[in-house]
Amino acid sequence: MVSLLAARPSGDYRTRGNQETTELWWKDANERFELIASKRVLYEPRAGDAHAAQRRLAFLETIKVVDSPVASGRLCDALLEAGVVPRGAVTDAGHIADAATLGVDFLVTWNFRHIANAAMRERIEGLCQIAGHPAPIICTPYELLDVNRHELHDMPILSDLWALRRASAA
């Protein structure tokens, strides 16, 4: 998610919409939620271009970063072992495990492949329960937008899409 905040505006409409949604959510998220991340999250933003990595890490400096609980490693292994998260997605399993063992209410992500995946949600919740941890609600920033504060017209990408539709209809 932080990668979308720090990235250049995408030319892909879906990605750009996700970027704008994330920016709107991030603006007031600290007022509405206690934002925390495990130290595990700090590894991903450091990869790639050094300048982009600095931008990503700057966003993370504004939130509380905590150690992963010992139980997180066990839950991460269980998620991988049960095939709930593919073995090649260790970091994604770690994010889920950290969120559950830290007792956070929401795990906010755009990762539909291994995390915010409705087909996997029941299995993720089940394994978290078996391990004795409440599963976080896994969702996107869009689902947590304060709709009373941010209207869809606050998203320039939608204005562009509506303009294209009007031009196409004409």
PDB file of all heavy atoms in Angstrom, residues 114-140:
ATOM      1  N   HIS A 114      -2.931 -12.777  -2.535  1.00  0.00           N
ATOM      2  CA  HIS A 114      -2.717 -13.672  -1.393  1.00  0.00           C
ATOM      3  C   HIS A 114      -3.315 -13.179  -0.085  1.00  0.00           C
ATOM      4  O   HIS A 114      -3.310 -13.933   0.892  1.00  0.00           O
ATOM      5  CB  HIS A 114      -1.220 -13.886  -1.161  1.00  0.00           C
ATOM      6  CG  HIS A 114      -0.511 -14.427  -2.338  1.00  0.00           C
ATOM      7  ND1 HIS A 114       0.620 -13.847  -2.849  1.00  0.00           N
ATOM      8  CD2 HIS A 114      -0.779 -15.494  -3.134  1.00  0.00           C
ATOM      9  CE1 HIS A 114       1.016 -14.536  -3.896  1.00  0.00           C
ATOM     10  NE2 HIS A 114       0.191 -15.532  -4.097  1.00  0.00           N
ATOM     11  N   ILE A 115      -3.780 -11.927  -0.036  1.00  0.00           N
ATOM     12  CA  ILE A 115      -4.236 -11.408   1.258  1.00  0.00           C
ATOM     13  C   ILE A 115      -5.709 -11.021   1.217  1.00  0.00           C
ATOM     14  O   ILE A 115      -6.537 -11.631   1.886  1.00  0.00           O
ATOM     15  CB  ILE A 115      -3.352 -10.227   1.730  1.00  0.00           C
ATOM     16  CG1 ILE A 115      -1.878 -10.670   1.843  1.00  0.00           C
ATOM     17  CG2 ILE A 115      -3.845  -9.701   3.078  1.00  0.00           C
ATOM     18  CD1 ILE A 115      -0.904  -9.569   2.226  1.00  0.00           C
ATOM     19  N   ALA A 116      -6.071 -10.009   0.453  1.00  0.00           N
ATOM     20  CA  ALA A 116      -7.468  -9.549   0.377  1.00  0.00           C
ATOM     21  C   ALA A 116      -8.193 -10.376  -0.681  1.00  0.00           C
ATOM     22  O   ALA A 116      -8.622  -9.877  -1.699  1.00  0.00           O
ATOM     23  CB  ALA A 116      -7.520  -8.063   0.049  1.00  0.00           C
ATOM     24  N   ASN A 117      -8.314 -11.636  -0.411  1.00  0.00           N
ATOM     25  CA  ASN A 117      -8.868 -12.577  -1.374  1.00  0.00           C
ATOM     26  C   ASN A 117     -10.062 -13.278  -0.726  1.00  0.00           C
ATOM     27  O   ASN A 117      -9.895 -14.067   0.201  1.00  0.00           O
ATOM     28  CB  ASN A 117      -7.778 -13.573  -1.765  1.00  0.00           C
ATOM     29  CG  ASN A 117      -8.211 -14.530  -2.828  1.00  0.00           C
ATOM     30  OD1 ASN A 117      -9.305 -15.077  -2.782  1.00  0.00           O
ATOM     31  ND2 ASN A 117      -7.329 -14.765  -3.793  1.00  0.00           N
ATOM     32  N   ALA A 118     -11.253 -12.975  -1.196  1.00  0.00           N
ATOM     33  CA  ALA A 118     -12.473 -13.518  -0.597  1.00  0.00           C
ATOM     34  C   ALA A 118     -12.482 -15.042  -0.587  1.00  0.00           C
ATOM     35  O   ALA A 118     -13.012 -15.654   0.340  1.00  0.00           O
ATOM     36  CB  ALA A 118     -13.698 -12.986  -1.337  1.00  0.00           C
ATOM     37  N   ALA A 119     -11.886 -15.664  -1.588  1.00  0.00           N
ATOM     38  CA  ALA A 119     -11.864 -17.126  -1.657  1.00  0.00           C
ATOM     39  C   ALA A 119     -11.000 -17.729  -0.555  1.00  0.00           C
ATOM     40  O   ALA A 119     -11.188 -18.879  -0.171  1.00  0.00           O
ATOM     41  CB  ALA A 119     -11.366 -17.579  -3.030  1.00  0.00           C
ATOM     42  N   MET A 120     -10.058 -16.966  -0.029  1.00  0.00           N
ATOM     43  CA  MET A 120      -9.153 -17.463   1.004  1.00  0.00           C
ATOM     44  C   MET A 120      -9.551 -16.995   2.402  1.00  0.00           C
ATOM     45  O   MET A 120      -9.039 -17.508   3.389  1.00  0.00           O
ATOM     46  CB  MET A 120      -7.724 -16.999   0.698  1.00  0.00           C
ATOM     47  CG  MET A 120      -7.173 -17.590  -0.575  1.00  0.00           C
ATOM     48  SD  MET A 120      -5.663 -16.824  -1.181  1.00  0.00           S
ATOM     49  CE  MET A 120      -4.730 -16.490   0.251  1.00  0.00           C
ATOM     50  N   ARG A 121     -10.438 -16.017   2.477  1.00  0.00           N
ATOM     51  CA  ARG A 121     -10.763 -15.383   3.763  1.00  0.00           C
ATOM     52  C   ARG A 121     -11.181 -16.392   4.830  1.00  0.00           C
ATOM     53  O   ARG A 121     -10.689 -16.345   5.961  1.00  0.00           O
ATOM     54  CB  ARG A 121     -11.849 -14.339   3.563  1.00  0.00           C
ATOM     55  CG  ARG A 121     -12.208 -13.616   4.851  1.00  0.00           C
ATOM     56  CD  ARG A 121     -12.986 -12.368   4.593  1.00  0.00           C
ATOM     57  NE  ARG A 121     -12.076 -11.389   3.997  1.00  0.00           N
ATOM     58  CZ  ARG A 121     -12.409 -10.554   3.026  1.00  0.00           C
ATOM     59  NH1 ARG A 121     -13.621 -10.535   2.554  1.00  0.00           N
ATOM     60  NH2 ARG A 121     -11.526  -9.711   2.532  1.00  0.00           N
ATOM     61  N   GLU A 122     -12.078 -17.305   4.485  1.00  0.00           N
ATOM     62  CA  GLU A 122     -12.566 -18.276   5.468  1.00  0.00           C
ATOM     63  C   GLU A 122     -11.425 -19.143   6.006  1.00  0.00           C
ATOM     64  O   GLU A 122     -11.351 -19.415   7.205  1.00  0.00           O
ATOM     65  CB  GLU A 122     -13.649 -19.146   4.837  1.00  0.00           C
ATOM     66  CG  GLU A 122     -14.377 -20.016   5.833  1.00  0.00           C
ATOM     67  CD  GLU A 122     -15.530 -20.777   5.194  1.00  0.00           C
ATOM     68  OE1 GLU A 122     -16.157 -20.247   4.253  1.00  0.00           O
ATOM     69  OE2 GLU A 122     -15.790 -21.908   5.642  1.00  0.00           O
ATOM     70  N   ARG A 123     -10.536 -19.559   5.133  1.00  0.00           N
ATOM     71  CA  ARG A 123      -9.394 -20.391   5.560  1.00  0.00           C
ATOM     72  C   ARG A 123      -8.430 -19.593   6.423  1.00  0.00           C
ATOM     73  O   ARG A 123      -7.902 -20.112   7.407  1.00  0.00           O
ATOM     74  CB  ARG A 123      -8.692 -20.967   4.337  1.00  0.00           C
ATOM     75  CG  ARG A 123      -9.582 -21.969   3.590  1.00  0.00           C
ATOM     76  CD  ARG A 123      -8.903 -22.564   2.395  1.00  0.00           C
ATOM     77  NE  ARG A 123      -7.813 -23.442   2.841  1.00  0.00           N
ATOM     78  CZ  ARG A 123      -6.770 -23.771   2.081  1.00  0.00           C
ATOM     79  NH1 ARG A 123      -6.680 -23.319   0.852  1.00  0.00           N
ATOM     80  NH2 ARG A 123      -5.837 -24.560   2.551  1.00  0.00           N
ATOM     81  N   ILE A 124      -8.209 -18.324   6.072  1.00  0.00           N
ATOM     82  CA  ILE A 124      -7.333 -17.463   6.892  1.00  0.00           C
ATOM     83  C   ILE A 124      -7.940 -17.302   8.276  1.00  0.00           C
ATOM     84  O   ILE A 124      -7.251 -17.486   9.299  1.00  0.00           O
ATOM     85  CB  ILE A 124      -7.133 -16.083   6.216  1.00  0.00           C
ATOM     86  CG1 ILE A 124      -6.267 -16.214   4.963  1.00  0.00           C
ATOM     87  CG2 ILE A 124      -6.523 -15.091   7.200  1.00  0.00           C
ATOM     88  CD1 ILE A 124      -6.215 -14.960   4.096  1.00  0.00           C
ATOM     89  N   GLU A 125      -9.225 -16.989   8.330  1.00  0.00           N
ATOM     90  CA  GLU A 125      -9.896 -16.798   9.621  1.00  0.00           C
ATOM     91  C   GLU A 125      -9.870 -18.078  10.454  1.00  0.00           C
ATOM     92  O   GLU A 125      -9.632 -18.036  11.656  1.00  0.00           O
ATOM     93  CB  GLU A 125     -11.334 -16.329   9.395  1.00  0.00           C
ATOM     94  CG  GLU A 125     -11.408 -14.916   8.858  1.00  0.00           C
ATOM     95  CD  GLU A 125     -12.817 -14.491   8.431  1.00  0.00           C
ATOM     96  OE1 GLU A 125     -13.758 -15.331   8.472  1.00  0.00           O
ATOM     97  OE2 GLU A 125     -12.958 -13.319   8.046  1.00  0.00           O
ATOM     98  N   GLY A 126     -10.089 -19.208   9.796  1.00  0.00           N
ATOM     99  CA  GLY A 126     -10.077 -20.487  10.508  1.00  0.00           C
ATOM    100  C   GLY A 126      -8.735 -20.795  11.133  1.00  0.00           C
ATOM    101  O   GLY A 126      -8.659 -21.202  12.295  1.00  0.00           O
ATOM    102  N   LEU A 127      -7.675 -20.610  10.376  1.00  0.00           N
ATOM    103  CA  LEU A 127      -6.338 -20.886  10.915  1.00  0.00           C
ATOM    104  C   LEU A 127      -5.979 -19.922  12.047  1.00  0.00           C
ATOM    105  O   LEU A 127      -5.346 -20.330  13.016  1.00  0.00           O
ATOM    106  CB  LEU A 127      -5.286 -20.814   9.810  1.00  0.00           C
ATOM    107  CG  LEU A 127      -4.993 -22.151   9.148  1.00  0.00           C
ATOM    108  CD1 LEU A 127      -4.060 -21.989   7.964  1.00  0.00           C
ATOM    109  CD2 LEU A 127      -4.391 -23.127  10.129  1.00  0.00           C
ATOM    110  N   CYS A 128      -6.385 -18.666  11.905  1.00  0.00           N
ATOM    111  CA  CYS A 128      -6.127 -17.703  12.986  1.00  0.00           C
ATOM    112  C   CYS A 128      -6.849 -18.141  14.259  1.00  0.00           C
ATOM    113  O   CYS A 128      -6.271 -18.109  15.351  1.00  0.00           O
ATOM    114  CB  CYS A 128      -6.585 -16.297  12.586  1.00  0.00           C
ATOM    115  SG  CYS A 128      -5.546 -15.521  11.333  1.00  0.00           S
ATOM    116  N   GLN A 129      -8.097 -18.586  14.127  1.00  0.00           N
ATOM    117  CA  GLN A 129      -8.862 -19.047  15.290  1.00  0.00           C
ATOM    118  C   GLN A 129      -8.221 -20.268  15.926  1.00  0.00           C
ATOM    119  O   GLN A 129      -8.098 -20.345  17.144  1.00  0.00           O
ATOM    120  CB  GLN A 129     -10.302 -19.366  14.899  1.00  0.00           C
ATOM    121  CG  GLN A 129     -11.152 -18.136  14.749  1.00  0.00           C
ATOM    122  CD  GLN A 129     -12.595 -18.499  14.400  1.00  0.00           C
ATOM    123  OE1 GLN A 129     -12.877 -19.575  13.866  1.00  0.00           O
ATOM    124  NE2 GLN A 129     -13.503 -17.591  14.699  1.00  0.00           N
ATOM    125  N   ILE A 130      -7.819 -21.223  15.104  1.00  0.00           N
ATOM    126  CA  ILE A 130      -7.157 -22.423  15.631  1.00  0.00           C
ATOM    127  C   ILE A 130      -5.906 -22.037  16.412  1.00  0.00           C
ATOM    128  O   ILE A 130      -5.609 -22.618  17.455  1.00  0.00           O
ATOM    129  CB  ILE A 130      -6.817 -23.411  14.489  1.00  0.00           C
ATOM    130  CG1 ILE A 130      -8.092 -24.034  13.940  1.00  0.00           C
ATOM    131  CG2 ILE A 130      -5.831 -24.481  14.942  1.00  0.00           C
ATOM    132  CD1 ILE A 130      -7.906 -24.802  12.634  1.00  0.00           C
ATOM    133  N   ALA A 131      -5.193 -21.028  15.930  1.00  0.00           N
ATOM    134  CA  ALA A 131      -3.968 -20.575  16.597  1.00  0.00           C
ATOM    135  C   ALA A 131      -4.266 -19.698  17.821  1.00  0.00           C
ATOM    136  O   ALA A 131      -3.358 -19.295  18.533  1.00  0.00           O
ATOM    137  CB  ALA A 131      -3.096 -19.809  15.607  1.00  0.00           C
ATOM    138  N   GLY A 132      -5.558 -19.383  18.024  1.00  0.00           N
ATOM    139  CA  GLY A 132      -5.927 -18.605  19.208  1.00  0.00           C
ATOM    140  C   GLY A 132      -5.863 -17.100  19.024  1.00  0.00           C
ATOM    141  O   GLY A 132      -5.773 -16.356  19.998  1.00  0.00           O
ATOM    142  N   HIS A 133      -5.928 -16.653  17.770  1.00  0.00           N
ATOM    143  CA  HIS A 133      -5.848 -15.219  17.488  1.00  0.00           C
ATOM    144  C   HIS A 133      -7.047 -14.791  16.651  1.00  0.00           C
ATOM    145  O   HIS A 133      -7.407 -15.482  15.688  1.00  0.00           O
ATOM    146  CB  HIS A 133      -4.561 -14.889  16.725  1.00  0.00           C
ATOM    147  CG  HIS A 133      -3.334 -15.338  17.434  1.00  0.00           C
ATOM    148  ND1 HIS A 133      -2.840 -14.690  18.533  1.00  0.00           N
ATOM    149  CD2 HIS A 133      -2.522 -16.397  17.213  1.00  0.00           C
ATOM    150  CE1 HIS A 133      -1.755 -15.323  18.962  1.00  0.00           C
ATOM    151  NE2 HIS A 133      -1.541 -16.369  18.171  1.00  0.00           N
ATOM    152  N   PRO A 134      -7.636 -13.658  16.983  1.00  0.00           N
ATOM    153  CA  PRO A 134      -8.731 -13.174  16.123  1.00  0.00           C
ATOM    154  C   PRO A 134      -8.163 -12.717  14.785  1.00  0.00           C
ATOM    155  O   PRO A 134      -7.137 -12.032  14.742  1.00  0.00           O
ATOM    156  CB  PRO A 134      -9.315 -11.997  16.909  1.00  0.00           C
ATOM    157  CG  PRO A 134      -8.201 -11.552  17.810  1.00  0.00           C
ATOM    158  CD  PRO A 134      -7.363 -12.770  18.091  1.00  0.00           C
ATOM    159  N   ALA A 135      -8.807 -13.115  13.713  1.00  0.00           N
ATOM    160  CA  ALA A 135      -8.343 -12.694  12.387  1.00  0.00           C
ATOM    161  C   ALA A 135      -8.706 -11.232  12.190  1.00  0.00           C
ATOM    162  O   ALA A 135      -9.789 -10.793  12.583  1.00  0.00           O
ATOM    163  CB  ALA A 135      -9.002 -13.543  11.309  1.00  0.00           C
ATOM    164  N   PRO A 136      -7.798 -10.467  11.597  1.00  0.00           N
ATOM    165  CA  PRO A 136      -8.144  -9.078  11.286  1.00  0.00           C
ATOM    166  C   PRO A 136      -9.148  -9.037  10.138  1.00  0.00           C
ATOM    167  O   PRO A 136      -9.251  -9.998   9.369  1.00  0.00           O
ATOM    168  CB  PRO A 136      -6.804  -8.476  10.845  1.00  0.00           C
ATOM    169  CG  PRO A 136      -6.064  -9.650  10.270  1.00  0.00           C
ATOM    170  CD  PRO A 136      -6.476 -10.833  11.102  1.00  0.00           C
ATOM    171  N   ILE A 137      -9.870  -7.966  10.031  1.00  0.00           N
ATOM    172  CA  ILE A 137     -10.697  -7.755   8.846  1.00  0.00           C
ATOM    173  C   ILE A 137      -9.739  -7.310   7.751  1.00  0.00           C
ATOM    174  O   ILE A 137      -9.041  -6.306   7.904  1.00  0.00           O
ATOM    175  CB  ILE A 137     -11.773  -6.686   9.102  1.00  0.00           C
ATOM    176  CG1 ILE A 137     -12.752  -7.193  10.155  1.00  0.00           C
ATOM    177  CG2 ILE A 137     -12.494  -6.324   7.800  1.00  0.00           C
ATOM    178  CD1 ILE A 137     -13.720  -6.149  10.656  1.00  0.00           C
ATOM    179  N   ILE A 138      -9.677  -8.078   6.690  1.00  0.00           N
ATOM    180  CA  ILE A 138      -8.762  -7.776   5.589  1.00  0.00           C
ATOM    181  C   ILE A 138      -9.548  -6.969   4.569  1.00  0.00           C
ATOM    182  O   ILE A 138     -10.581  -7.421   4.085  1.00  0.00           O
ATOM    183  CB  ILE A 138      -8.188  -9.064   4.981  1.00  0.00           C
ATOM    184  CG1 ILE A 138      -7.396  -9.838   6.052  1.00  0.00           C
ATOM    185  CG2 ILE A 138      -7.308  -8.744   3.783  1.00  0.00           C
ATOM    186  CD1 ILE A 138      -6.954 -11.225   5.626  1.00  0.00           C
ATOM    187  N   CYS A 139      -9.053  -5.773   4.257  1.00  0.00           N
ATOM    188  CA  CYS A 139      -9.795  -4.892   3.361  1.00  0.00           C
ATOM    189  C   CYS A 139      -8.861  -3.924   2.633  1.00  0.00           C
ATOM    190  O   CYS A 139      -7.667  -3.866   2.916  1.00  0.00           O
ATOM    191  CB  CYS A 139     -10.851  -4.113   4.145  1.00  0.00           C
ATOM    192  SG  CYS A 139     -10.174  -3.093   5.468  1.00  0.00           S
ATOM    193  N   THR A 140      -9.434  -3.189   1.708  1.00  0.00           N
ATOM    194  CA  THR A 140      -8.683  -2.174   0.963  1.00  0.00           C
ATOM    195  C   THR A 140      -8.905  -0.811   1.607  1.00  0.00           C
ATOM    196  O   THR A 140      -9.853  -0.637   2.378  1.00  0.00           O
ATOM    197  CB  THR A 140      -9.166  -2.100  -0.502  1.00  0.00           C
ATOM    198  OG1 THR A 140     -10.504  -1.608  -0.509  1.00  0.00           O
ATOM    199  CG2 THR A 140      -9.069  -3.458  -1.192  1.00  0.00           C
TER     200      THR A 140
END
